[in-house]
Amino acid sequence: MKKRIFAALLCVIMLFGMLPITALAAGPVYVAWIGEIGYETLGEAVKAAKSGDTIQLGKGNYTLYGVSSTGHTKGKDLTFVGLGADETAWNIGALVPDPANYGTEYNGDYSFDGAGTVTFQNMTLRSGTANYLGFIRADKTVVENCTINGKTFYWGYKSATFTDTTFNCPSGDYALWTYSSPTMNFENCTFNSSGKVINVYTDYSAGKHDIFVNFINCTVNNTSDPNSETKQVLNVNDSNMGNFKYIIHISGENKVSGISVDSTTCSRLFGFG
């Protein structure tokens, strides 16, 4: 009997003795990878990244809001790849925009200020419903196979390209304004809207240069109240452009439902609001 009790106590002592070793063996938890090198935070990954690198993201919510672009993203071309729209999400700007900044750019996201080409693939990008949201002062932005929730103004200051991307417009509001990008490309995109889709308008760069909007093989599903105001897919306001123009290229097979024909253009795809 004494031998059995001694053996049992010895087993318990050995079990507790192994616990710290097991905990230490677990090691760090990585959320982002460049090649085979893992990083515990997204900030550490972009700081270590070289221009041209691809950063793989795991499951979860990510943001660089509040992180200075200097020493992290400035001067770099970076690609961020998620696990899919249901697994990886990126928050654009503050989780809750500051009411004191409504009507200004200061609710925008400066984490890519001075970056080169920034690419997002296979994730959900989340924005709010306030005006003047988005990524401020990156040269080019590319969004591929993503879902974008909310409203945005700021994308690439040289060009913005959206491919195979789904836009979920805020209720009764636009998915985005053609605000900061001289060229905006939408190809094979889907817009789920309720009255408004894209506002072809800017005050930031009005009268400075032509703005090109290319709309190719896209689908618009509008489900607004038939008695409420519904804008055409591309709602054009060029009243402040001076001698410059919005130049719109519409091509391919575009499908539009729930939007009426504009009385001036005779089109569901573009009109003059």
Side-chain angles (χ1 to χ4, degrees):
M1 177 63 71
K2 291 181 178 179
K3 290 182 178 180
R4 291 178 182 174
I5 294 174
F6 178 76
L9 290 172
L10 184 60
C11 288
V12 172
I13 292 170
M14 291 177 65
L15 177 62
F16 278 98
M18 291 175 64
L19 287 178
I21 297 173
T22 303
L24 289 172
V29 177
Y30 298 129
V31 300
W33 295 261
I34 301 174
E36 296 182 355
I37 302 176
Y39 298 88
E40 295 183 60
T41 68
L42 177 58
E44 291 175 359
V46 295
K47 186 175 182 179
K50 297 178 180 178
S51 184
D53 277 351
T54 294
I55 299 175
Q56 300 282 342
L57 302 177
K59 182 177 181 180
N61 298 312
Y62 296 84
T63 187
L64 286 173
Y65 181 73
V67 175
S68 173
S69 65
T70 302
H72 292 89
T73 63
K74 193 171 185 178
K76 297 179 182 179
D77 299 333
L78 296 172
T79 297
F80 300 90
V81 182
L83 297 177
D86 296 332
E87 299 288 334
T88 305
W90 188 297
N91 294 327
I92 302 173
L95 188 61
V96 179
D98 185 349
N101 293 329
Y102 284 171
T104 74
E105 70 180 60
Y106 296 107
N107 273 319
D109 193 324
Y110 288 86
S111 57
F112 292 103
D113 186 355
T117 299
V118 182
T119 302
F120 299 94
Q121 298 175 343
N122 306 333
M123 68 180 72
T124 292
L125 297 168
R126 296 172 177 162
S127 184
T129 58
N131 291 334
Y132 303 101
L133 300 177
F135 296 116
I136 295 178
R137 289 199 289 261
D139 282 348
K140 298 179 180 180
T141 53
V142 178
V143 180
E144 299 174 343
N145 193 34
C146 290
T147 296
I148 301 179
N149 296 329
K151 179 170 60 173
T152 52
F153 283 50
Y154 295 98
W155 292 95
Y157 278 49
K158 291 183 179 179
S159 68
T161 298
F162 304 89
T163 306
D164 297 316
T165 291
T166 297
F167 293 82
N168 294 316
C169 308
S171 179
D173 207 346
Y174 296 104
L176 76 168
W177 290 28
T178 60
Y179 196 74
S180 63
S181 308
T183 299
M184 301 197 82
N185 305 304
F186 303 92
E187 186 169 1
N188 298 325
C189 292
T190 298
F191 296 84
N192 298 314
S193 62
S194 56
K196 300 176 182 178
V197 187
I198 298 174
N199 196 24
V200 183
Y201 174 78
T202 184
D203 52 40
Y204 165 78
S205 54
K208 297 178 181 178
H209 51 72
D210 291 334
I211 295 176
F212 294 81
V213 181
N214 301 308
F215 200 80
I216 308 165
N217 291 329
C218 293
T219 299
V220 178
N221 303 309
N222 190 74
T223 57
S224 59
D225 185 333
N227 297 319
S228 64
E229 182 183 27
T230 300
K231 302 286 189 179
Q232 281 66 48
V233 176
L234 300 168
N235 179 63
V236 183
N237 182 350
D238 61 358
S239 60
N240 61 356
M241 287 291 281
N243 293 325
F244 296 97
K245 302 297 180 185
Y246 293 107
I247 300 173
I248 298 173
H249 297 278
I250 298 172
S251 61
E253 185 179 356
N254 296 287
K255 301 176 181 178
V256 180
S257 62
I259 292 179
S260 59
V261 172
D262 180 70
S263 58
T264 301
T265 65
C266 299
S267 173
R268 292 179 174 83
L269 285 168
F270 73 104
F272 298 92

